Amino acid sequence: DAKTTQPNSMESNEEEPVHLPCNHSTISGTDYIHWYRQLPSQGPEYVIHGLTSNVNNRMASLAIAEDRKSSTLILHRATLRDAAVYYCILRVWVGKLIFGQGTELSVKP
Amino acid sequence: EAGVAQSPRYKIIEKRQSVAFWCNPISGHATLYWYQQILGQGPKLLIQFQNNGVVDDSQLPKDRFSAERLKGVDSTLKIQPAKLEDSAVYLCASSLFGDNTGELFFGEGSRLTVL
């Protein structure tokens, strides 16, 4: 299974943009890049996913490098409710979702 | 739309006892997953069902863990006998499609403490 590398923790100020990086140098052509986040005492929730092109939704944007070896999750305006562990996951065919350690994001008022 | 329901939310047992967790997925979701999340770690997939058939149980410790999904809807995860290292949150998730684009919806989890 292809692996991802994320920083253990990041800090952000409220109402500022946040860029969460993810490296996945061994990604294969059919791997989708998924992002989930886990708020304290809750199950993970889907944030966004993409294959090759950049993606936007109401929660975040996903910027994917041209060679697909890295990607960045962008929260345009962090709020206190965005404090969570963010997981970058490569999803292989047949649907297995394998979580790594993730990045713990803290947001300061 | 109702989310993934799990029970109980919390359970404390002594080692060597047994415990069972129940999951009711979102209506119409064919794929169901059980994950184990030990404190400070990311969730680890234990078993994946497609309808009532097992797709992947390679990480399930089959000497003590068992899971079933009768009639392709509800699922039960059982641990017997429990060990101290089974203390974790057990997360159930479901998805509409069993492919690369299917979003997983997680329940709030069942927290197990083994004393």
Side-chain angles (χ1 to χ4, degrees), chain B residues 8-19 21 37 39 79 82-90 110-115:
Chain B
R9 288 294 314 277
Y10 305 93
K11 188 75 176 179
I12 301 174
I13 61 173
E14 307 227 333
K15 60 183 179 183
R16 291 188 289 273
Q17 287 186 322
S18 62
V19 63
F21 302 112
Q37 186 170 26
L39 187 65
I79 308 174
K83 292 186 174 182
L84 296 177
E85 59 259 38
D86 298 332
S87 294
V89 176
Y90 291 87
S110 294
R111 182 179 296 276
L112 173 66
T113 302
V114 182
L115 303 176

Side-chain angles (χ1 to χ4, degrees), chain A residues 30-32 34 36 38 41-46 49 87 91-101, chain B residues 9 33 35 37 40-43 45 48 55-56 58 91 97-104 106-108:
Chain A
T30 55
D31 285 335
Y32 285 77
H34 287 250
Y36 279 72
Q38 188 170 22
S41 300
Q42 294 189 26
E45 65 174 345
Y46 169 83
H49 78 276
Y87 296 98
R91 193 165 185 193
V92 300
W93 190 244
V94 186
K96 210 174 194 176
L97 203 68
I98 299 173
F99 289 80
Q101 289 291 107
Chain B
R9 288 294 314 277
Y33 313 78
Y35 282 83
Q37 186 170 26
Q41 299 181 16
L45 179 66
Q48 176 184 342
V55 173
D56 186 331
S58 57
L91 295 159
F97 306 106
D99 64 16
N100 278 342
T101 59
E103 175 183 345
L104 266 66
F106 283 82
E108 292 187 305

Side-chain angles (χ1 to χ4, degrees), chain B residues 19-92:
Chain B
V19 63
F21 302 112
W22 172 83
C23 173
N24 186 22
I26 292 173
S27 177
H29 281 196
T31 311
L32 185 146
Y33 313 78
W34 282 101
Y35 282 83
Q36 177 194 58
Q37 186 170 26
I38 292 171
L39 187 65
Q41 299 181 16
K44 170 187 156 186
L45 179 66
L46 292 177
I47 189 167
Q48 176 184 342
F49 291 95
Q50 184 75 17
N51 296 309
N52 60 350
V54 175
V55 173
D56 186 331
D57 63 357
S58 57
Q59 297 295 303
L60 188 73
K62 298 180 187 62
D63 57 334
R64 298 183 300 106
F65 286 65
S66 64
E68 60 181 9
R69 190 181 184 198
L70 300 175
K71 301 180 182 177
V73 182
D74 293 9
S75 178
T76 303
L77 176 70
K78 295 179 182 176
I79 308 174
Q80 181 178 12
K83 292 186 174 182
L84 296 177
E85 59 259 38
D86 298 332
S87 294
V89 176
Y90 291 87
L91 295 159
C92 179

Side-chain angles (χ1 to χ4, degrees), chain A residues 1-13:
Chain A
D1 297 317
K3 292 186 177 176
T4 63
T5 304
Q6 299 178 252
N8 289 331
S9 62
M10 289 185 66
E11 211 170 67
S12 168
N13 294 317

